[in-house]
Amino acid sequence: MREILIVGGGYAGFYTAWRLEKKLRAGEARVTVVDPRPYMTYQPFLPEVTAGSVEARHAAVSLRRHLRRTRLIAGSVTEIRNADRTATVRPVNGPDQQLRYDTLVVTAGAVTRTFPIPGLSQQAIGLKHVEEAVAIRDRLMTAFDQAATLPPGAERRRLLTVTFVGGGFSGVEGFGELLSLATAMLKSYPELGMDDLSFHLVEARGRILPEVGDEPGAWVVRSLESRGAHVHLKTQLVSAEDGHVVLSDGTEFDSELIVWTAGNASNPVVQNHTDLPVDERGLLVVRADLRVGTVSDPVPQVWAAGDDAAVPDLASSVPGAHTVPNAQHAVRQGKRLAKNIVADLRGGRVRDYRHSSLGVVATLGLGRGIFQYKGLVIKGLPAWLMHRGYHVLAVPSWERKARVLAVWLTAAAFGRDLVSLASVQHPRDAFVARGIPQRTGENRESDPTAA
């Protein structure tokens, strides 16, 4: 039986496998997906997970529930040797394995791009996975509880200071949603006021949301600032040691929560541990039909899509343009890739990937959003409703759509659920402490009764 190996279970990988299950005949091929996580993250919901508007598990689509005829391996591909038709897989547990394949699909996705900034790796948290979004929400809510017990001053200010670095979609949406949550929480904390909150958005370029036009981007800045936020344009993070933020514009402050959303980098496996062709950015060279290689020199039986592939954008009028790395393209590329693989297996005709953008839409917090399609710009509540409508339709499976809608309807009737579960990140604390009060930062594994 022919072996089809899919590296990565994100958008493109999940949709490729999902469609292959529907299109392949019994016994025609076996599909294997390798991914360290047992689910596909619906990343457009992560900002709303940080605000509690979407339950964390509802932004994760179970691979085993939906890929029932696909072999799933919990692990990471560490090396691809296409010359030998083998991939080295490092499982979550156990020794490395060698997997042989006949057809390879590389949809490993991108990783968070970071820089050697002092304190960044010790203090910051990303916003690319469900676990990170949950931690961001819980840290903010825990900070509110702690700040409410303190008198006005530097420590209270530090606890209620939030810094987002990166003004792309992920950063702006996460920032807007968390600001909306923090503002709403003030109603439940009479000890605190709006003056205690300090939200900072840091962007190295002269504007945010490069996917929208200049005027809509400027409107988003004004909207955030009118809600009390500080937007630092043409500014870089210089240091974050011990939570003390130093910006290139001379601004300094202490921040309890630092979120890094400053773009993506090529997956290191694709860039450094494969014999497949990559471009100067470390992305796989891909043809318009999603085969790896060039028009004159394709790599037989190797395909790629998603954030780790430089896919030509046939719908763009710019020569040499590539599709932008977003969910809109990754989902559609995965569907086209499955059709092309099946057509190729059966000696049929493969088709080029072409998709004209449906526009861009972003949430800026509860009841606030922005949408742009070419020259049409919609702001405020209508755009926010469009954002929710589009993504509830786009999230895979009717089961997930129903769960998300149920949470939204419940929140509309009863308001936000303002419960922090930060303690789940340290489940042994209560057991180790044995009822003896401990302060933040004390050794969790030490004997609480020791002198």
Side-chain angles (χ1 to χ4, degrees):
M1 184 182 296
R2 192 170 191 83
E3 295 285 345
I4 301 175
L5 174 62
I6 301 177
V7 179
Y11 285 120
F14 172 81
Y15 275 94
T16 300
W18 205 19
R19 287 302 176 94
L20 283 174
E21 283 196 350
K22 298 176 182 178
K23 293 182 175 298
L24 288 171
R25 305 184 186 111
E28 190 171 13
R30 181 172 70 166
V31 179
T32 299
V33 173
V34 179
D35 196 281
R37 288 179 169 79
Y39 56 81
M40 184 271 283
T41 302
Y42 191 73
Q43 291 185 349
F45 277 158
L46 293 186
E48 294 203 63
V49 172
T50 67
S53 299
V54 171
E55 289 294 328
R57 286 183 176 85
H58 300 169
V61 180
S62 170
L63 298 181
R64 290 196 176 273
R65 178 174 183 137
H66 298 287
L67 302 180
R68 299 188 179 183
R69 294 190 290 114
T70 297
R71 180 172 62 153
L72 300 172
I73 297 178
S76 302
V77 171
T78 59
E79 185 178 28
I80 297 172
R81 288 291 175 190
N82 190 58
D84 301 326
R85 284 290 199 260
T86 61
T88 303
V89 177
R90 182 161 297 162
V92 175
N93 293 300
D96 289 359
Q97 305 174 9
Q98 295 291 323
L99 290 184
R100 297 194 61 82
Y101 60 82
D102 299 297
T103 299
L104 176 67
V105 179
V106 184
T107 53
V111 297
T112 301
R113 179 182 61 186
T114 59
F115 299 98
I117 298 171
L120 179 65
S121 60
Q122 292 79 25
Q123 300 294 327
I125 185 170
L127 185 51
K128 199 173 183 63
H129 302 291
V130 173
E131 299 90 341
E132 294 171 323
V134 172
I136 290 170
R137 167 182 161 83
D138 286 343
R139 287 189 188 184
L140 176 70
M141 302 187 78
T142 299
F144 263 74
D145 288 331
Q146 295 172 356
T149 66
L150 298 174
E155 181 61 12
R156 177 193 276 191
R157 185 76 170 177
R158 179 190 67 80
L159 285 168
L160 298 181
T161 297
V162 175
T163 306
F164 271 67
V165 183
F169 256 79
S170 179
V172 171
E173 289 190 311
F175 184 81
E177 285 287 348
L178 210 64
L179 176 59
S180 178
L181 172 63
T183 304
M185 287 176 63
L186 290 175
K187 299 175 183 178
S188 301
Y189 290 82
E191 308 91 340
L192 305 175
M194 194 66 191
D195 291 342
D196 293 309
L197 297 182
S198 184
F199 272 65
H200 298 262
L201 177 62
V202 182
E203 170 54 47
R205 292 167 294 190
R207 53 161 300 174
I208 61 175
L209 291 180
E211 296 86 350
V212 304
D214 290 342
E215 195 284 324
W219 176 84
V220 173
V221 171
R222 294 193 300 271
S223 174
L224 293 174
E225 290 179 337
S226 70
R227 295 159 59 189
H230 306 278
V231 181
H232 306 266
L233 300 178
K234 297 183 180 179
T235 306
Q236 297 176 331
L237 177 67
V238 175
S239 175
E241 289 186 292
D242 298 321
H244 182 70
V245 173
V246 180
L247 303 180
S248 60
D249 63 2
T251 305
E252 296 188 32
F253 52 88
D254 293 325
S255 183
E256 170 68 9
L257 181 57
I258 302 173
V259 183
W260 181 268
T261 61
N264 295 324
S266 173
N267 192 297
V269 174
V270 171
Q271 186 172 10
N272 302 316
H273 302 287
T274 175
D275 54 358
L276 298 171
V278 296
D279 64 12
E280 66 281 357
R281 298 172 297 167
L283 302 178
L284 288 168
V285 177
V286 177
R287 306 183 345 163
D289 60 5
L290 303 179
R291 297 178 192 266
V292 171
T294 63
V295 174
S296 60
D297 189 20
V299 180
Q301 300 305 317
V302 180
W303 311 76
D307 292 356
D308 59 8
V311 179
D313 189 353
L314 300 184
S316 173
S317 59
V318 179
H322 295 96
T323 58
V324 297
N326 62 20
Q328 193 175 134
H329 281 296
V331 169
R332 289 166 175 79
Q333 287 171 9
K335 295 177 180 179
R336 169 47 54 194
L337 209 160
K339 293 178 182 178
N340 280 356
I341 290 174
V342 172
D344 188 62
L345 287 176
R346 298 171 182 169
R349 177 189 173 190
V350 300
R351 299 180 182 275
D352 291 343
Y353 171 76
R354 178 190 292 269
H355 172 65
S356 297
S357 174
L358 301 176
V360 292
V361 62
T363 174
L364 304 175
L366 193 64
R368 299 177 175 91
I370 187 166
F371 168 82
Q372 180 174 5
Y373 176 69
K374 298 181 178 179
L376 174 64
V377 178
I378 300 175
K379 306 170 185 175
L381 179 62
W384 178 77
L385 292 172
M386 293 172 68
H387 175 274
R388 285 203 159 181
Y390 172 80
H391 285 299
V392 79
L393 291 174
V395 68
S397 83
W398 287 104
E399 169 257 343
R400 274 295 178 265
K401 299 179 200 298
R403 291 182 187 274
V404 171
L405 275 173
V407 172
W408 285 344
L409 292 173
T410 302
F414 301 106
R416 295 175 186 264
D417 191 347
L418 302 181
V419 177
S420 169
L421 296 177
S423 59
V424 302
Q425 298 174 43
H426 307 286
R428 281 174 37 81
D429 281 5
F431 174 75
V432 173
R434 297 198 291 275
I436 298 176
Q438 299 210 322
R439 296 183 183 277
T440 301
E442 289 184 350
N443 186 353
R444 292 187 168 89
E445 297 300 324
S446 63
D447 184 352
T449 63

